[in-house]
Amino acid sequence: MDRRSFLTKAALGTAATGLAAPALAQENPKITWRMTSSFPKSLATLWGNTQELGRRISEATNGNFTIQPFAAGELVGGLQAADAVADGTVEAAHTVGYYYWGKDPAWALGAAVPFGLSARGMNAWHYFGGGIDMYNAFMAKQKLFALPGGNTGTQMGGWFRKEINTLEDLKGLKMRIGGFAGKIVERLGVVPQQIAGGDIYAALEKGTIDAVEFTSPADDEKLGFVKVAPYYYYPGWWEGGPTVHFMFNLDKWNALPANYQSLLRSICQSIDANMLQQYDWNNPPALMRLMAEGAQLRPFSPEIMQACYETTNKVYDEIEATNPEFAKIWTSIKDFRKQWYLWQQVAEYNYDTFMMVQQRKNTL
């Protein structure tokens, strides 16, 4: 090959390479965000999945996009996480919508409301029933953009100092109960308290509260509730499938390159699945350990369950009559709920029931 021709081609190749690098840099700019969590570091599943977002987005962008996580209380309190994102104090949060239901009940609908959908039903509604878009139409007015970022599955009903057998036993009971459910049990005589996860044990130990619900055995074990309130009730009818969200400042989200937005959508969905899988794996042995420590399992009585269900429906009717945004989203969930629980009665319910019988017969 002619030496001059080779050098000319090589120079052109170098020039072409030099032009490509800035283009790639524009597609993957250096961005550093902070993310506050509503969860303390002691909760490995909830806090661990807060950390996962930063780890995965950094790996996917060769460190160009970093999201640094902060546990509840490090930057702001756990129940102020969404507010901090909306006002631009931080760019993102890992939190639960029903923590903010007092601003507007519609906040809770993207997470969980009493007698709503199970985890799988909630995910189906979010990803294929238009739930993400409907929730974000509401969240945009809060200066936020939200993506599902975890689910615990159906939660337990909580820890109680004394047995709760009748509706009369609920009257005057001071209970830490998050979100929308507090409004329901308040009508049945309970005195609801909203307390961030890291502060619950101290309140229960001091007797400031008589009962507490948090999540499930895997988390409840770490928080030590069994030491001060032995009666462990189920089910958590107010959290059949609660979605945890990653919430982003809307202006910051809109300013992201399209490829970063796409990555965040994919990574958030992967973490959404990841959290539920962790709870499904960790809860069975955690429950056995709690029972060995003295936890006494109790189901809520049919009387209590029915009263809670009827009271819940009355509250929904009241809110729908005055809050059109709530009514729109709740109607969508209700319509799917009818189909979901019809289908669940067929294959899933009968298979699970058969296998549960085998477990009780000790044939598994």
Side-chain angles (χ1 to χ4, degrees), residues 18-32:
L19 288 172
L24 287 172
Q26 289 175 9
E27 291 175 8
N28 296 287
K30 288 278 188 180
I31 295 176
T32 300

Side-chain angles (χ1 to χ4, degrees), residues 32-341:
T32 300
W33 279 6
R34 297 189 303 168
M35 177 170 59
T36 186
S37 176
S38 284
F39 315 113
K41 291 181 178 179
S42 58
L43 299 179
T45 305
L46 288 164
W47 166 245
N49 280 283
T50 299
Q51 294 175 299
E52 274 296 295
L53 183 68
R55 186 182 69 79
R56 295 186 188 194
I57 197 70
S58 179
E59 286 181 355
T61 62
N62 292 320
N64 284 325
F65 189 5
T66 61
I67 301 177
Q68 183 180 4
F70 293 87
E74 290 185 333
L75 296 179
V76 298
L79 300 181
Q80 286 77 51
D83 296 329
V85 178
D87 66 23
T89 301
V90 293
E91 291 81 9
H94 197 208
T95 187
V96 188
Y98 55 57
Y99 287 162
Y100 315 97
W101 78 276
K103 299 173 181 288
D104 187 316
W107 276 87
L109 291 171
V113 291
F115 299 103
L117 292 163
S118 64
R120 280 177 56 188
M122 199 68 183
N123 281 333
W125 176 76
H126 271 307
Y127 293 105
F128 291 95
I132 291 174
D133 290 340
M134 274 187 280
Y135 195 47
N136 273 314
F138 169 75
M139 295 300 278
K141 298 174 183 177
Q142 323 306 321
K143 301 181 182 179
L144 297 168
F145 180 80
L147 292 170
N151 200 301
T152 68
T154 303
Q155 295 188 4
M156 294 292 285
W159 299 87
F160 294 75
R161 291 180 178 277
K162 63 177 184 178
E163 289 190 79
I164 304 297
N165 297 313
T166 67
L167 289 170
E168 191 65 27
D169 295 330
L170 294 175
K171 293 180 180 177
L173 189 82
K174 297 188 295 295
M175 182 178 182
R176 185 276 181 187
I177 184 165
F180 205 147
K183 188 176 183 68
I184 308 303
V185 296
E186 187 174 30
R187 296 197 178 190
L188 298 174
V190 173
V191 182
Q193 311 285 316
Q194 185 143 300
I195 305 172
D199 302 323
I200 300 171
Y201 182 87
L204 191 62
E205 185 180 37
K206 293 175 183 176
T208 306
I209 54 177
D210 306 306
V212 56
E213 64 81 28
F214 193 67
T215 56
S216 304
D219 288 335
D220 293 353
E221 179 186 29
K222 291 182 175 63
L223 293 175
F225 300 140
V226 67
K227 299 172 185 175
V228 286
Y231 298 103
Y232 200 18
Y233 276 83
Y234 62 89
W237 45 264
W238 49 91
E239 293 185 284
T243 298
V244 183
H245 275 87
F246 288 111
M247 296 184 184
F248 307 100
N249 178 278
L250 183 60
D251 289 339
K252 292 292 186 179
W253 170 265
N254 288 335
L256 284 176
N259 62 322
Y260 280 6
Q261 290 183 348
S262 180
L263 270 174
L264 276 175
R265 287 181 182 273
S266 297
I267 291 171
C268 287
Q269 188 169 5
S270 73
I271 294 173
D272 191 24
N274 193 64
M275 184 184 290
L276 183 59
Q277 291 157 6
Q278 283 181 287
Y279 273 111
D280 283 346
W281 180 257
N282 291 330
N283 278 330
L287 180 60
M288 298 302 291
R289 290 192 297 268
L290 284 169
M291 292 177 69
E293 287 186 55
Q296 299 186 45
L297 285 178
R298 297 286 189 276
F300 286 125
S301 68
E303 175 195 15
I304 289 175
M305 290 292 289
Q306 191 64 34
C308 291
Y309 179 70
E310 292 173 2
T311 303
T312 296
N313 287 334
K314 290 176 183 176
V315 172
Y316 286 146
D317 290 343
E318 293 168 8
I319 297 174
E320 285 184 282
T322 58
N323 188 326
E325 287 187 300
F326 180 95
K328 179 181 178 181
I329 302 173
W330 177 233
T331 297
S332 175
I333 294 173
K334 279 195 301 182
D335 288 347
F336 178 59
R337 186 178 61 169
K338 293 178 184 177
Q339 301 174 45
W340 175 247
Y341 286 110

